[in-house]
Amino acid sequence: MRRARRGGGGGEEAGHGGRACAERTRLAIMAALKHRRTALERVEKFLSETYFTDCNLRGRLFGDRCLPASLSFFQTPRRIPYDEAVRQEFRPAKVGDSFGPTWETCWFKVELSIPPAWAGQEVHFIWESDGEGMVWRDTQPVQGLTKEGEKTSYILTSSLKESEPHSLTLYVELACNGLFGAGKGSMIASPDPDRRFTLSKAELVIFNRHVYELLVDLEILLDMAQLLGEENQRSFQALYTANQMVNMCDVTDPSTFPAARDLAAAIFSQRNGESQHTIHAMGHCHIDSAWLWPYEETIRKCARSWVTVVRLMECNPELTFACSQAQQFEWVRSWYPGLYAQIQDFVAKEQFIPVGGTWVEMDGNLPSGESMVRQFLQGQLFFQEQFGRICSEFWLPDTFGYSAQLPQLMRGCGIRRFLTQKLSWNLVNTFPHHTFFWEGIDGSRVLTHFPPGDSYGMHGRVEEMLKTVKNNKDKGRVNHSALLFGFGDGGGGPTQKMLDRMKRMSDTDGLPRVQISTPDRLFSVLEKESSQLCTWVGELFLELHNGTYTTQAQIKKGNRECERILHDVEVLSTLAVAQGGAFQYPASQLQRLWRLLLLNQFHDVLPGSCIQLVVEDALQYYTEIRRAGARLQEEAVQSLCRELLQPKAGSAESTLVLNTLPWERTEVISRTGPAGTETLALVTVPSMGYAIVREPLLPPQPVAVRKQEDGSIAMENGVIAVCLDMMGRLTSLRLGDSERESVPDGCYANQFALFDDVPLYWDAWDVMDYHLETRKPVTMLLKPLEITLAGGLRGSASFSLQIGKSSTLTQEIILDAACPYLRFLTQVEWKEAHKFLKVEFPVQVRSTNATYEIQFGHLQRPTHWNTSWDWARFEVWAHKWLDLSEHGFGVALLNDCKYGASAHGNILSLSLLRAPKSPDATADIAHHQFTYAVMPHLGSFQDAGVIQCAYNLNFPLHAVPASSAQCPAWSAFSVSSAAVVLETVKQAEDRPEAVVVRLYEAHGSTVVTWLQTSLPVKEAMLCDLLERPAAQGRLPLEQRGMRLSFTPFRVLSVLLVLRR
């Protein structure tokens, strides 16, 4: 800059000099050196809710305030509808009052009068309490209010007009529970029954929108400055811009705000390069159908969350919201029809997007294959019926592992895309992909995406966008990923602020592109980019939460039993209809019972990770399924076998025995004689049919039971021979026709072991690897082994043990004539705390892999801990059986209601009972009854019939007193190959004249089989799992039946149209 001349005579020059001096001073201020930390903290304090609120920007967010004209309430222990609530007598209430206890409901009547002086202002009703609130206006729910979900205001008007009502009445329905229930001391502790909930604010305020917008601008810039790092040019641009905005803002003069906002806009409008990663942001609100709160409260959580989303959509037409679980839609449809109508409108506009295709977000491990099919069938039919479309993506972000059979089931239900994120919770190994193809045990593949931010509850912050890009394990393969934003688990959903943050990040240099998107848009782009994606084969095993295979044993038992009951009712009802006559298939009752069972398969109920109130509800639902199922089964049998059940005068009674499984069975049954006494009989019953039993069969070899001099007991039936010590442990287990011993020398099988079971945090969820270091064999004998049945058709022996400090176990060990396995009928009075009970079977078999039954098939897992991936699976899940085999010989463990298991080295172990104390302090403290069995076999488990034996254990024959009429045995269905299981026989969903049968290949082989039926079939065709006929799927009806081709673990459904 040219220096000013010295000397006089320079009035004009002096004037210029003054201006130049001021300019220099201003530039000096502008160019002042900035200390990064002080500049950052300066901006932080300008936005702080805690510091300097008397003079910072945050303190100007709200203008004048005024209290309600009147506030009154009434309290009820019930969750009641609005119409009933407003008729009650309300008593005065005030801010600062507390309400409760936990799970009560308070209804508040709030009369408001807006001051006329607030004309032109944006007016909010502010409500803050630690309970969950819902605002009702003009008989309709209009806004959810939950402090934990950052929703504490209901917008009354965006600019108060004279014509708008200044006086109005609102009702606030307040649930005495928080977003995450009411845990005593910690979130997952059992609920505090005496908790009180305080109303801390209820007022009208003027909301200063221009202050809010400036706050969001500054928050984004501050985050960019802090998170982009000192090596990044954009970090400093953001920091200096924010600092300059603080300089420009006079918080008492809103006219200074627009210029400051222009500075922010200049930064946000600097665009990205073409190669930048694109984030597909979608609103989401994960609502657990029950967890730390009961099912009934979830209905209100859905309404509170979804009505808030509807309000947001009215103001933000770009907002999309992905919403799963047909059950929750059904709840809202039933309880909040006005809200549901609004949701239907937004579904039609493709903003409110049903996803997932299932009835609930179910557990991914424990439901049977057929239960999983029904999750999709009930879900997809609901979405088709209500919204005119089925879902194209499976959505299960929060389940504790994913069965390797899921890809085939998805594909069979019209789904080729899958979204989850739970494997980010792995304790040991980091899963290697975020976008990949997942291949199931049959070879079916689905495109799978894990949002790389590893969450389904993002808040639209800079940090989350950067994490999404940095974390993405498939960089270079795909350049798009999902971000799900909204409060979740306990509901809540997206907020306006989340949207406003992301609007500023839509295309800002230094940050990934952020666009509000849909699941379909995301997956469509990923499909186009999928040529370089990797494939993961087999199960998606979560290396955490493996205590959930065992916790709440009564829920596990209820699930397995009710799956059996519904199977049997469907089989028998279908056969009764096919026989002709007046019998009507109980379709609507079965749908209701299935939906109860599917609801209980929600991923915090069936796993047992819920509070006591939920356990009580779940057990009540199982009781209802058992009761109604027994009635429906009786009606079906009465219709199917009416002629055979009428006792003839003076005739000796015989027994009608029904078999709902697809193979002939020869078993010992218990039947009630004329005098009411229980007698045993050996019977043979054809596949899926019945037989009349008058004179029972004589066994090829009766069961022999002998007590030895040392107190041990030997039993044999010609198939297997066992020796038991006084504590009920097997010292020998041999196949009758071979000298091959199953129990290693010096070892005991059926050995109970107790472990300390104290996880790091997630009590009901986790069993940690270190529990294995605390093993204590159970050796406290209360009653030594004694013979209880001396042989013939059945031999048995019983004993009792003390377990831990105060629990007892009584077991009857049973061997039936002609039966290839030894049963253990077990009763436990369980009163432990943080203990884990297992039963162990060391076997004389060497194999590096054990086999476990899963849905419609099986898979192998290692018996060694070579790698971290191996030892992370120290506790795994199985369904009805697990097997350890070497060439030519093996031993299987069968069970009727257990899921947790392990096989390490040569020890097969079944997990029986846990005793966690949160979130249910009473978990599993009860009487338990369960049965497991051990089955040694020659050859492979496939050829030895392990699969069929496990079904037989779980699906007992049904014996009904009958007349003595002569009647040939009758079979409705049979399958020519032992490799194929006919799993399901039911009426078609929308064709009463048609039957659906579902079969699967169970051995892991390629096979052709013939399906034979005695039903009057006039037409047969293949269909998918939604019962839609396949193109070119017609099956010729031949003499031998219908010819079906299977590849390993393939599931086939066949639609049979019956002649009337």
Side-chain angles (χ1 to χ4, degrees):
M1 194 175 185
R2 188 164 55 86
R3 270 191 311 195
R5 267 201 329 251
R6 287 186 192 179
E12 195 177 321
E13 194 77 302
H16 282 307
R19 281 200 298 278
C21 184
E23 180 76 3
R24 273 200 307 275
T25 307
R26 195 174 69 79
L27 285 173
I29 292 168
M30 290 264 306
L33 284 171
K34 292 179 183 54
H35 182 246
R36 184 175 168 87
R37 182 182 150 191
T38 55
L40 283 168
E41 279 207 33
R42 180 195 189 198
V43 180
E44 279 176 4
K45 293 299 189 287
F46 194 61
L47 308 180
S48 173
E49 293 179 21
T50 311
Y51 303 102
F52 305 111
T53 51
D54 59 325
C55 58
N56 74 1
L57 186 63
R58 178 79 59 186
R60 295 295 189 280
L61 184 57
F62 298 111
D64 291 346
R65 302 162 185 266
C66 85
L67 294 173
S70 154
L71 182 64
S72 54
F73 85 107
F74 95 94
Q75 187 168 322
T76 169
R78 294 186 303 120
R79 298 173 177 92
I80 60 175
Y82 172 87
D83 298 343
E84 186 182 338
V86 295
R87 294 198 305 268
Q88 306 303 311
E89 196 173 311
F90 285 73
R91 305 199 309 274
K94 63 183 187 303
V95 171
D97 285 352
S98 289
F99 305 90
T102 311
W103 310 124
E104 294 270 308
T105 298
C106 293
W107 283 82
F108 292 86
K109 185 176 184 180
V110 189
E111 294 181 44
L112 301 171
S113 183
I114 306 173
W118 289 9
Q121 302 285 359
E122 181 169 340
V123 181
H124 290 198
F125 169 57
I126 301 282
W127 177 276
E128 285 185 20
S129 82
D130 38 10
E132 289 191 86
M134 168 79 98
V135 181
W136 292 78
R137 183 176 184 177
D138 301 330
T139 77
Q140 289 301 314
V142 290
Q143 173 75 51
L145 294 176
T146 309
K147 194 173 177 182
E148 295 159 284
E150 293 182 7
K151 294 180 187 70
T152 55
S153 67
Y154 167 53
I155 302 174
L156 292 171
T157 174
S158 57
S159 176
L160 183 64
K161 300 178 185 65
E162 227 174 280
S163 58
E164 287 183 276
H166 284 46
S167 294
L168 66 157
T169 300
L170 304 177
Y171 287 89
V172 178
E173 177 188 12
L174 184 74
C176 291
N177 53 264
L179 209 52
F180 292 90
K184 190 170 188 173
S186 83
M187 180 181 79
I188 64 164
S190 56
D192 178 354
D194 302 315
R195 189 152 149 203
R196 309 287 294 177
F197 295 80
T198 303
L199 175 59
S200 47
K201 257 187 204 170
E203 61 189 17
L204 287 173
V205 299
I206 291 173
F207 182 78
N208 292 321
R209 177 69 55 183
H210 47 286
V211 171
Y212 165 82
E213 298 289 359
L214 195 51
L215 283 169
V216 179
D217 287 344
L218 283 161
E219 180 195 295
I220 300 288
L221 291 170
L222 179 63
D223 282 353
M224 288 174 69
Q226 287 175 318
L227 297 165
L228 290 175
E230 290 192 47
E231 68 285 355
N232 191 314
Q233 159 78 1
R234 280 294 268 175
S235 165
F236 285 91
Q237 289 177 349
L239 176 61
Y240 289 179
T241 300
N243 186 72
Q244 184 59 13
M245 287 166 70
V246 178
N247 290 338
M248 292 174 79
C249 280
D250 176 351
V251 297
T252 63
D253 180 5
S255 68
T256 62
F257 296 172
R261 291 212 62 208
D262 289 346
L263 289 178
I267 287 278
F268 298 144
S269 63
Q270 289 174 334
R271 299 281 172 247
N272 266 302
E274 282 182 26
S275 67
Q276 186 57 274
H277 187 84
T278 300
I279 288 174
H280 293 249
M282 304 164 217
H284 187 50
C285 176
H286 181 71
I287 302 178
D288 288 320
S289 290
W291 179 28
L292 303 174
W293 53 87
Y295 285 127
E296 232 185 17
E297 190 55 45
T298 308
I299 300 171
R300 299 200 295 191
K301 283 177 175 285
C302 293
R304 287 189 286 261
S305 304
W306 296 359
V307 77
T308 303
V309 169
V310 165
R311 290 291 84 77
L312 283 173
M313 286 178 173
E314 289 168 349
C315 306
N316 303 271
E318 76 284 1
L319 171 62
T320 60
F321 180 73
C323 190
S324 67
Q325 307 195 68
Q327 171 70 83
Q328 295 185 0
F329 282 90
E330 174 58 25
W331 278 333
V332 171
R333 187 179 78 86
S334 302
W335 290 85
Y336 300 90
L339 169 59
Y340 190 74
Q342 296 173 61
I343 288 169
Q344 285 180 303
D345 291 343
F346 282 109
V347 170
K349 293 176 184 168
E350 300 189 352
Q351 284 183 261
F352 203 109
I353 303 164
V355 292
T358 50
W359 189 248
V360 295
E361 288 188 13
M362 71 279 194
D363 180 79
N365 301 321
L366 309 186
S368 69
E370 189 58 33
S371 286
M372 285 192 165
V373 170
R374 301 306 175 91
Q375 287 285 356
F376 285 106
L377 181 64
Q378 288 297 322
Q380 294 285 52
L381 291 180
F382 178 89
F383 291 128
Q384 179 68 51
E385 182 186 295
Q386 292 294 313
F387 307 116
R389 68 188 80 166
I390 63 172
C391 302
S392 59
E393 55 288 296
F394 183 35
W395 191 277
L396 200 58
D398 191 33
T399 286
F400 315 145
Y402 303 86
S403 163
Q405 189 56 278
L406 275 166
Q408 180 176 199
L409 303 186
M410 287 184 231
R411 297 283 297 239
C413 296
I415 290 174
R416 289 163 179 255
R417 303 157 163 185
F418 175 41
L419 182 141
T420 182
Q421 63 82 48
K422 197 64 179 185
L423 263 65
S424 65
W425 283 49
N426 269 8
L427 197 62
V428 182
N429 299 285
T430 303
F431 194 78
H433 303 293
H434 281 105
T435 307
F436 58 100
F437 284 106
W438 179 24
E439 186 175 300
I441 56 172
D442 72 310
S444 294
R445 292 170 59 176
V446 289
L447 177 59
T448 301
H449 182 67
F450 299 174
D454 293 342
S455 169
Y456 48 73
M458 297 294 207
H459 294 171
R461 294 185 162 279
V462 170
E463 178 182 13
E464 297 160 351
M465 308 303 160
L466 296 175
K467 180 181 178 182
T468 294
V469 177
K470 182 180 179 183
N471 219 26
N472 180 17
K473 300 245 175 334
D474 298 280
K475 296 182 184 79
R477 300 181 196 279
V478 288
N479 206 19
H480 293 256
S481 60
L483 181 136
L484 309 179
F485 65 94
F487 287 92
D489 291 331
T495 66
Q496 183 64 51
K497 190 176 226 182
M498 294 174 191
L499 277 166
D500 291 335
R501 287 172 184 145
M502 290 185 291
K503 283 173 189 169
R504 289 157 170 81
M505 292 186 259
S506 60
D507 191 3
T508 293
D509 185 21
L511 300 177
R513 272 193 196 84
V514 181
Q515 59 185 45
I516 301 294
S517 186
T518 66
D520 182 59
R521 254 179 266 157
L522 166 73
F523 277 107
S524 296
V525 176
L526 293 178
E527 281 161 358
K528 289 195 187 98
E529 294 186 349
S530 65
S531 62
Q532 298 297 307
L533 292 179
C534 300
T535 298
W536 180 271
V537 179
E539 66 183 327
L540 293 173
F541 185 86
L542 178 65
E543 297 172 354
L544 197 71
H545 293 0
N546 30 13
T548 59
Y549 317 146
T550 307
T551 304
Q552 299 286 10
Q554 288 177 317
I555 288 182
K556 309 290 195 281
K557 183 175 182 174
N559 180 69
R560 184 81 64 87
E561 274 187 18
C562 291
E563 286 175 337
R564 166 180 60 78
I565 288 165
L566 295 181
H567 168 276
D568 286 0
V569 170
E570 287 183 334
V571 168
L572 296 167
S573 299
T574 305
L575 302 190
V577 169
Q579 291 281 48
F583 182 80
Q584 293 285 308
Y585 189 85
S588 60
Q589 294 104 301
L590 275 167
Q591 182 186 69
R592 183 179 73 84
L593 298 179
W594 263 113
R595 287 180 171 184
L596 283 179
L597 179 62
L598 299 177
L599 173 57
N600 272 354
Q601 290 173 348
F602 179 74
H603 65 250
D604 278 308
V605 181
L606 180 52
S609 47
C610 51
I611 60 171
Q612 185 181 354
L613 279 176
V614 179
V615 176
E616 289 167 1
D617 282 347
L619 296 180
Q620 185 56 48
Y621 291 165
Y622 292 133
T623 300
E624 168 61 10
I625 295 168
R626 288 185 185 105
R627 188 191 59 73
R631 180 177 49 77
L632 293 175
Q633 182 174 303
E634 189 182 343
E635 289 168 7
V637 171
Q638 288 290 338
S639 175
L640 178 63
C641 310
R642 186 178 297 106
E643 301 302 311
L644 308 172
L645 299 177
Q646 313 301 332
K648 304 285 184 288
S651 67
E653 275 211 345
S654 52
T655 305
L656 174 75
V657 186
L658 298 111
N659 173 19
T660 57
L661 292 180
W663 43 78
E664 182 182 272
R665 296 162 70 178
T666 299
E667 289 177 26
V668 175
I669 62 160
S670 177
R671 58 178 181 165
T672 309
T677 54
E678 290 281 314
T679 58
L680 298 176
L682 182 65
V683 300
T684 294
V685 194
S687 69
M688 281 209 178
Y690 55 76
I692 287 274
V693 178
R694 297 185 69 188
E695 296 306 316
L697 304 170
L698 286 171
Q701 183 176 331
V703 179
V705 184
R706 298 187 312 281
K707 185 154 189 174
Q708 323 274 41
E709 286 179 11
D710 61 359
S712 64
I713 291 175
M715 290 196 266
E716 56 186 307
N717 65 356
V719 186
I720 56 176
V722 305
C723 191
L724 300 154
D725 73 4
M726 289 170 65
M727 294 177 62
R729 300 177 300 189
L730 275 76
T731 54
S732 173
L733 172 62
R734 285 182 298 108
L735 284 164
D737 53 1
S738 95
E739 287 304 301
R740 177 62 199 262
E741 175 59 64
S742 303
V743 181
D745 283 349
C747 291
Y748 300 106
N750 198 41
Q751 170 70 64
F752 295 97
L754 198 62
F755 299 80
D756 294 343
D757 187 15
V758 185
L760 299 174
Y761 176 69
W762 296 100
D763 197 1
W765 293 258
D766 289 347
V767 56
M768 309 308 296
D769 54 346
Y770 52 75
H771 87 283
L772 295 168
E773 300 170 39
T774 67
R775 177 182 179 274
K776 293 179 187 65
V778 176
T779 55
M780 179 73 76
L781 194 58
L782 293 177
K783 184 170 150 292
L785 190 72
E786 290 292 345
I787 295 172
T788 42
L789 283 175
L793 289 178
R794 175 171 292 167
S796 69
S798 297
F799 67 96
S800 296
L801 297 172
Q802 180 169 328
I803 297 184
K805 288 200 168 65
S806 44
S807 301
T808 54
L809 178 147
T810 302
Q811 193 169 66
E812 186 180 11
I813 301 174
I814 304 165
L815 184 62
D816 280 352
C819 184
Y821 53 80
L822 182 68
R823 277 188 295 149
F824 302 85
L825 173 58
T826 314
Q827 316 256 359
V828 184
E829 284 295 339
W830 184 245
K831 299 173 182 173
E832 298 306 300
H834 289 121
K835 298 292 180 190
F836 195 165
L837 179 67
K838 304 185 189 187
V839 65
E840 298 168 347
F841 285 79
V843 293
Q844 203 157 300
V845 175
R846 178 164 178 78
S847 175
T848 54
N849 286 294
T851 309
Y852 301 81
E853 189 193 36
I854 68 164
Q855 296 82 359
F856 297 137
H858 57 261
L859 48 71
Q860 294 194 320
R861 300 184 181 110
T863 57
H864 57 74
W865 294 344
N866 279 0
T867 71
S868 59
W869 293 90
D870 300 330
W871 69 254
R873 288 185 280 180
F874 57 85
E875 175 80 3
V876 296
W877 60 273
H879 281 200
K880 298 183 290 292
W881 58 268
L882 64 148
D883 180 87
L884 189 66
S885 289
E886 58 191 45
H887 180 70
F889 183 78
V891 178
L893 272 189
L894 324 176
N895 74 82
D896 73 350
C897 61
K898 297 298 170 191
Y899 295 92
S902 65
H904 186 227
N906 68 329
I907 298 174
L908 294 176
S909 176
L910 198 61
S911 299
L912 302 177
L913 293 166
R914 292 187 71 219
K917 295 298 162 196
S918 64
D920 174 7
T922 66
D924 284 313
I925 305 304
H927 176 81
H928 298 272
Q929 179 176 319
F930 49 86
T931 297
Y932 54 89
V934 63
M935 178 177 169
H937 59 84
L938 293 176
S940 68
F941 69 84
Q942 291 99 324
D943 294 340
V946 165
I947 296 166
Q948 284 79 3
C949 285
Y951 269 96
N952 294 351
L953 183 70
N954 279 269
F955 291 79
L957 294 168
H958 299 287
V960 185
S963 73
S964 59
Q966 288 299 316
C967 163
W970 178 74
S971 167
F973 288 98
S974 61
V975 182
S976 65
S977 167
V980 175
V981 176
L982 169 53
E983 174 78 18
T984 303
V985 176
K986 66 182 284 289
Q987 188 180 78
E989 289 295 317
D990 55 356
R991 296 179 69 172
E993 80 289 1
V995 169
V996 171
V997 297
R998 190 154 15 260
L999 312 93
Y1000 72 96
E1001 197 289 319
H1003 286 181
S1005 61
T1006 297
V1007 67
V1008 170
T1009 193
W1010 292 86
L1011 171 65
Q1012 291 102 2
T1013 180
S1014 56
L1015 271 51
V1017 175
K1018 70 175 182 187
E1019 194 184 354
M1021 64 202 83
L1022 293 173
C1023 62
D1024 67 5
L1025 297 178
L1026 300 182
E1027 304 180 7
R1028 302 177 296 188
Q1032 287 90 48
R1034 192 168 297 283
L1035 296 169
L1037 302 172
E1038 302 181 45
Q1039 191 63 43
R1040 297 178 62 189
M1042 288 151 273
R1043 185 178 187 274
L1044 299 172
S1045 298
F1046 288 87
T1047 49
F1049 306 120
R1050 187 179 183 197
V1051 178
L1052 280 184
S1053 302
V1054 183
L1055 196 65
L1056 305 174
V1057 183
L1058 303 184
R1059 281 194 303 276
R1060 275 291 176 221

